[in-house]
């Protein structure tokens, strides 16, 4: 099954993918970093959270540096109505928090169900990073025919 990019964007305008999670401190930040690295120039990306923390998980920053992506200057951001309205595609990273899960607030969201790296050993965070990279690459591959796989 595929979800097409919305009609908000023409071929001349940039399309935006929004990665969301609760704290915007790990998974969504990694996805944003990978998408920036691999995506075509006509795509923009942003990540945000329903209850963002004050800083990105340091282990997340470390494992991304291992693959040549520096996310240390990225900051957790609040998920806003403008972000949701302007996004062509929204990806929920997965929820372990039923009270603040972004999927509760969003319609037509792709839910990846990826484990939260918070409080995990670095080996596990590397596995999570690799899964996120794989899924981001799948999205980028599918943008060649203007659709995103669910």
């Amino acid at each position: 099954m595929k979800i097409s990019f919305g009609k908000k964007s023409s071929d001349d305008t940039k399309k935006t993918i929004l990665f969301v999670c609760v704290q915007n401190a790990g998974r969504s930040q990694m996805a944003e970093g990978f998408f920036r690295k691999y995506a075509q120039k006509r795509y923009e990306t942003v990540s945000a959270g329903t209850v963002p923390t004050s800083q990105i998980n340091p282990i997340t920053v470390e494992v991304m540096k291992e693959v040549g992506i520096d996310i240390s200057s990225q900051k957790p951001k609040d998920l806003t109505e403008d972000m949701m309205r302007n996004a062509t595609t929204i990806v929920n990273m997965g929820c372990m928090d039923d009270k603040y899960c972004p999927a509760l607030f969003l319609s037509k969201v792709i839910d990846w169900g990826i484990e939260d790296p918070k409080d995990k050993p670095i080996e596990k965070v590397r596995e999570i990073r690799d899964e996120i990279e794989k899924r981001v690459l799948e999205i980028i591959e599918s943008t060649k025919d203007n659709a995103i796989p669910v």
Side-chain angles (χ1 to χ4, degrees):
M1 180 178 184
K2 291 190 177 192
I3 293 179
S4 295
F5 276 108
K7 294 184 179 181
K8 294 179 189 177
S9 301
S10 71
D11 288 341
D12 296 335
T13 60
K14 289 196 175 197
K15 297 172 182 170
T16 301
I17 185 163
L18 171 62
F19 294 101
V20 295
C21 63
V22 175
Q23 294 185 332
N24 190 220
R27 297 167 290 182
S28 54
Q29 293 286 350
M30 287 191 277
E32 179 181 348
F34 280 124
F35 200 84
R36 283 189 198 287
K37 178 178 178 177
Y38 296 126
Q40 300 169 355
K41 299 295 182 230
R42 63 187 172 129
Y43 295 94
E44 293 182 354
T45 187
V46 66
S47 66
T50 52
V51 186
T53 61
S54 61
Q55 67 179 13
I56 297 177
N57 180 335
I59 295 176
T60 300
V61 172
E62 183 178 340
V63 300
M64 290 299 285
K65 281 184 180 177
E66 292 174 356
V67 295
I69 299 173
D70 184 1
I71 62 170
S72 63
S73 64
Q74 291 177 200
K75 304 284 183 221
K77 298 168 282 303
D78 278 309
L79 179 63
T80 67
E81 287 186 32
D82 280 346
M83 285 177 180
M84 293 182 285
R85 185 176 33 258
N86 295 327
T88 315
T89 302
I90 302 171
V91 177
N92 181 47
M93 302 306 293
C95 279
M96 295 5 160
D97 185 336
D98 291 338
K99 186 175 179 183
Y100 297 106
C101 179
L104 298 174
F105 309 102
L106 306 171
S107 60
K108 298 182 182 177
V109 65
I110 300 168
D111 192 346
W112 281 355
I114 294 176
E115 189 175 354
D116 190 346
K118 182 179 178 181
D119 300 325
K120 302 284 189 299
I122 194 165
E123 297 79 16
K124 183 64 180 173
V125 178
R126 286 182 183 122
E127 290 174 18
I128 294 167
R129 173 203 63 203
D130 294 347
E131 178 66 19
I132 291 169
E133 180 180 29
K134 178 181 143 229
R135 292 187 188 208
V136 165
L137 288 169
E138 288 170 357
I139 281 181
I140 291 167
E141 180 64 27
S142 71
T143 62
K144 292 177 182 172
D145 62 0
N146 207 34
I148 287 187
V150 175

